[in-house]
C-alpha cells in the first residue's frame, strides 16, 4: 500500500494550520473577557507555536515539493494537522470567558442562544477542555512527524 499523499489533502491541511487559529481567535472575540486577556498575556508562549505551525504548513504541506507531501506515511501528518487545527478552533468556540459582571459565556452559548444556562456553560467548558487536549496532542504529533521526515530526507540525501 502506498501511503504517500497526493491531491488537495496536503494543501487543505496546510491552509487549516494557518487559518483555523485565526478563526479560533475570531470565535473568542464573540464574547471577550478575562480569558482573552490571558491569551494576549501568554502570547509569548502561543506565538512561537503558531509560527512553527505556519512554517510546517508553508514548507512541508503547501509547497509542491514539501517533505510531508512526498513522505511515506504522509497521511499521519495530514491527520495530525487536522487534529490540531480542529482542536484550536474548538477551544476558541467552546472556551468560556467572562468579565467582572460574573457572567461566563462562550461563542457556542452566545450563538446558540443558551446564555444564562449553567448546563450549556458546563458542556461548553468540557468540550473546550477536550478540544484543548486534541490541540496540544495534534500539534506535538505534527511537529514530530515533520522532524522525522526531515531527518529521513537528510539521510536519504547523504546516502544518494
Amino acid at each position: 500500500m502506498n501511503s504517500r499523499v497526493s491531491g488537495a489533502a496536503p494543501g487543505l491541511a496546510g491552509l487549516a494550520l494557518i487559518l483555523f487559529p485565526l478563526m479560533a481567535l475570531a470565535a473568542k472575540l464573540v464574547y471577550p473577557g478575562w480569558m482573552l486577556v490571558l491569551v494576549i498575556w501568554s502570547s509569548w508562549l502561543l506565538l512561537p507555536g503558531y509560527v512553527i505551525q505556519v512554517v510546517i504548513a508553508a514548507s512541508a504541506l503547501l509547497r509542491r515539493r514539501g517533505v510531508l507531501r512526498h513522505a511515506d506515511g504522509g497521511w499521519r501528518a495530514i491527520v495530525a494537522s487536522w487534529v490540531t487545527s480542529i482542536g484550536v478552533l474548538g477551544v476558541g468556540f467552546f472556551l468560556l470567558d467572562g468579565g467582572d459582571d460574573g457572567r461566563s459565556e462562550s461563542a457556542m452559548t452566545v450563538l446558540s442562544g443558551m446564555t444564562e444556562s449553567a448546563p450549556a456553560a458546563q458542556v461548553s467548558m468540557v468540550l473546550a477542555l477536550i478540544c484543548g487536549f486534541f490541540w496540544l496532542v495534534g500539534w506535538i504529533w505534527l511537529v514530530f512527524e515533520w522532524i522525522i521526515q526531515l531527518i529521513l530526507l537528510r539521510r536519504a540525501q547523504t546516502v544518494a
Side-chain angles (χ1 to χ4, degrees), residues 10-114:
L12 291 173
L15 288 174
L17 282 172
I18 294 169
L19 297 177
F20 278 27
L22 301 174
M23 293 167 55
L25 181 59
K28 192 74 224 106
L29 292 173
V30 168
Y31 195 85
W34 284 110
M35 270 308 184
L36 184 59
V37 172
L38 289 176
V39 167
I40 292 169
W41 284 347
S42 65
S43 63
W44 63 274
L45 286 171
L46 297 173
L47 197 56
Y50 179 66
V51 168
I52 291 170
Q53 193 168 303
V54 170
V55 168
I56 292 171
S59 68
L61 291 169
L62 294 175
R63 284 184 44 215
R64 181 177 296 171
R65 310 251 318 132
V67 67
L68 295 177
R69 280 181 170 260
H70 300 289
D72 286 332
W75 281 105
R76 290 188 310 266
I78 301 295
V79 172
S81 298
W82 281 107
V83 168
T84 192
S85 297
I86 292 170
V88 71
L89 189 59
V91 168
F93 188 72
F94 295 115
L95 185 64
L96 290 177
D97 208 343
D100 294 334
D101 62 357
R103 292 180 54 213
S104 293
E105 303 295 341
S106 67
M108 182 209 77
T109 59
V110 170
L111 295 175
S112 64
M114 292 189 283

Side-chain angles (χ1 to χ4, degrees), residues 10 16 18 22 27-28 39 46 49 52 65 75 82 86 116-117 124 126 132 135 138 149 151 154-155 157-158:
I18 294 169
L22 301 174
K28 192 74 224 106
V39 167
L46 297 173
I52 291 170
R65 310 251 318 132
W75 281 105
W82 281 107
I86 292 170
E116 307 291 329
S117 169
S124 186
V126 167
W135 173 20
Q149 292 308 322
I151 292 169
R154 176 88 33 143
R155 284 186 185 166
Q157 289 173 345
T158 58

